[in-house]
Amino acid sequence: MDVQIFIDLQDRLDQETSLFEEVREAVKELNKTCRLASAKLAKAHAVPQSQTHEITEAITPQFAAIKKNISALAKLIRPAAFYKYHDMWSNAVNTACSLVIFAVYLADARLASPEDIEKYLGQKVNVTNGEITEFVITIEEYLHGVISLFSELSRLAVNSVIVNDVKRPQAISTFASELYSGFQLLNLKNDSLRRRFDSIKYDIKKIEEVQYDLRVRGLTA
C-alpha cells in the first residue's frame, strides 16, 4: 500500500485547519472593529438631529478599518470555497451592513443602496445571487442590515423625544412606513429573513406610539 495517499491527505487537512484558524482570526478582528463603530454610532441616540452630522463624520475612520478587515478576510477565501466558510463571517458582515445603513440614514435620511455598501465596505453586493466568482456581500446580508435599521429607528424615535427633538419622530415614522411597504414587495424565502421581517411590525408600532403620545400632549400637530 502506498501510504503517500494518507500523507497527502493529512497535508490537505492541515491546510484546511490553518485556513480555518486564519478566517476565525480575521472574523474576530472584524467583530472587534464593528463593536467599536457601533459604540460610536450609538451616540446618535443621545443627541438631537442637528448634531448627528458630527457623529457620522467621526465614525469615518471606523468604516475604513471595517473595510480593511473585510478585505483581509476576502483575500483568504477562494471563490469555490466561499459558501464552505460563509457561516463563519456572515453575522459579522450583517453587522457591518447594518452600521453602514444606519449611518447613511443619519447622514442623509435615506436608505443605503447596495452601491453604498460597496463604497463603505469595499465589496460588491451580489444582488443577482449569481455564481460566486469573487468575495461578495450576499443580498441576504444586505437585507438583514436593512431590517436592523427598523429597531434603530424605533429607538431613535423614543430618544428624540428625550432630547426634546419632538418633530423628528414624524419624519422617522414616514420613512419607516415607506421602507416597510417596500419590504412587503419582497418574496422572502430565507427563513431567517422571514422571521426577522415579522418582527418589524413591533418596531413600527413603537414609533406610532411615540407619535400618538406627542399628539395627545399637544407637542405636535
Side-chain angles (χ1 to χ4, degrees):
M1 178 183 292
D2 186 1
V3 297
Q4 187 62 43
I5 293 174
F6 297 98
I7 294 172
D8 291 343
L9 286 174
Q10 186 58 54
D11 287 342
R12 292 177 186 175
L13 289 172
D14 289 341
Q15 291 172 9
E16 287 288 322
T17 301
S18 177
L19 178 57
F20 180 88
E21 291 299 323
E22 288 183 85
V23 171
R24 187 170 69 172
E25 284 300 311
V27 173
K28 183 179 177 181
E29 288 302 311
L30 174 58
N31 278 322
K32 187 188 301 182
T33 311
C34 284
R35 284 194 298 270
L36 179 58
S38 180
K40 293 194 172 186
L41 202 55
K43 294 178 181 179
H45 289 289
V47 298
Q49 187 173 8
S50 59
Q51 296 177 28
T52 55
H53 178 72
E54 298 171 13
I55 293 169
T56 55
E57 285 292 314
I59 202 175
T60 300
Q62 271 63 56
F63 279 125
I66 291 172
K67 186 176 184 178
K68 183 178 179 181
N69 290 151
I70 295 178
S71 177
L73 173 63
K75 290 176 181 177
L76 297 172
I77 305 299
R78 294 178 293 105
F82 180 85
Y83 283 113
K84 181 177 182 179
Y85 296 98
H86 180 248
D87 286 347
M88 293 181 68
W89 68 74
S90 185
N91 285 338
V93 172
N94 286 348
T95 300
C97 287
S98 68
L99 291 170
V100 171
I101 290 167
F102 187 37
V104 169
Y105 173 78
L106 290 173
D108 300 325
R110 65 177 177 86
L111 175 63
S113 66
E115 289 74 24
D116 289 313
I117 299 296
E118 181 179 356
K119 174 185 172 183
Y120 278 84
L121 303 183
Q123 307 295 327
K124 292 180 180 178
V125 177
N126 188 23
V127 293
T128 62
N129 271 341
E131 181 182 354
I132 299 298
T133 59
E134 59 182 339
F135 189 95
V136 294
I137 293 170
T138 66
I139 188 64
E140 289 82 9
E141 287 162 346
Y142 169 71
L143 291 175
H144 273 295
V146 176
I147 292 174
S148 294
L149 180 60
F150 283 95
S151 63
E152 294 289 358
L153 292 175
S154 66
R155 284 186 62 204
L156 198 60
V158 173
N159 292 325
S160 294
V161 178
I162 294 173
V163 297
N164 203 33
D165 192 355
V166 295
K167 293 183 179 180
R168 196 176 193 186
Q170 174 61 57
I172 292 173
S173 179
T174 300
F175 178 84
S177 295
E178 291 175 354
L179 186 57
Y180 183 62
S181 296
F183 237 103
Q184 289 178 308
L185 297 175
L186 298 176
N187 180 20
L188 299 174
K189 297 182 179 180
N190 180 287
D191 288 342
S192 177
L193 280 173
R194 273 206 311 269
R195 285 193 299 271
R196 292 197 65 204
F197 173 75
D198 289 341
S199 71
I200 291 175
K201 59 180 177 284
Y202 299 109
D203 293 315
I204 297 289
K205 182 180 178 183
K206 185 184 291 185
I207 295 169
E208 290 173 345
E209 287 173 349
V210 171
Q211 276 191 283
Y212 176 77
D213 287 343
L214 289 172
R215 286 175 181 171
V216 167
R217 297 171 188 271
L219 296 173
T220 58

